Amino acid sequence: MLWRLAADALLLFHLLFILFAVAGGLLALRYRKLVWLHLPAVIWASLVMLNGWICPLTPLEVSLRQQAGDVGYSGSFIAHYLLPLIYPPGLTRGVQILLGGTVAALNIGIYSWLWAHRKHR
């Protein structure tokens, strides 16, 4: 039970990290200090997608589920509903590149706007 809870918690963290990497620049519009946390996140997420790397959280999730006696990602609410968002069906190399480029372009746009409209002190 503990391994399954740990795997579910890690999966939730993984999703929140992805959401932060994709849209965290919007939070940085309001909370400027988040830029220093968001920039490394968006760079990492873009590099993972553009290079086809496997995020280290993925094998850790699988390992935790195996330690819980699970096969794959079935069995819990979090795994059932969040996994398709993190690991969409039909994820090809081309789709990964498109997603990575989109994340990078979206955030470059947000940070360009932030830079152009920064307050001069």
Side-chain angles (χ1 to χ4, degrees):
M1 181 68 169
L2 182 60
W3 296 115
R4 186 171 291 127
L5 289 173
D8 287 348
L10 185 58
L11 181 63
L12 183 58
F13 174 78
H14 202 171
L15 177 65
L16 292 174
F17 178 85
I18 291 167
L19 291 174
F20 181 67
V22 172
L26 296 173
L27 288 173
L29 291 173
R30 174 74 172 104
Y31 306 103
R32 301 286 170 110
K33 290 185 179 189
L34 274 181
V35 167
W36 300 110
L37 186 60
H38 181 252
L39 277 177
V42 75
I43 290 167
W44 173 254
S46 296
L47 285 173
V48 167
M49 295 304 286
L50 291 170
N51 290 306
W53 299 340
I54 294 175
C55 178
L57 295 176
T58 302
L60 182 55
E61 290 169 22
V62 171
S63 174
L64 289 170
R65 294 207 183 279
Q66 288 172 343
Q67 290 180 40
D70 289 346
V71 177
Y73 287 99
S74 62
S76 73
F77 174 85
I78 292 175
H80 179 73
Y81 289 103
L82 296 185
L83 274 172
L85 296 174
I86 295 173
Y87 308 106
L91 184 63
T92 64
R93 183 73 186 109
V95 172
Q96 279 184 309
I97 291 170
L98 178 66
L99 290 172
T102 300
V103 167
L106 172 69
N107 285 287
I108 287 169
I110 290 169
Y111 282 106
S112 296
W113 187 89
L114 265 175
W115 182 260
H117 293 88
R118 70 186 185 281
K119 293 180 182 176
H120 298 282
R121 296 178 191 214

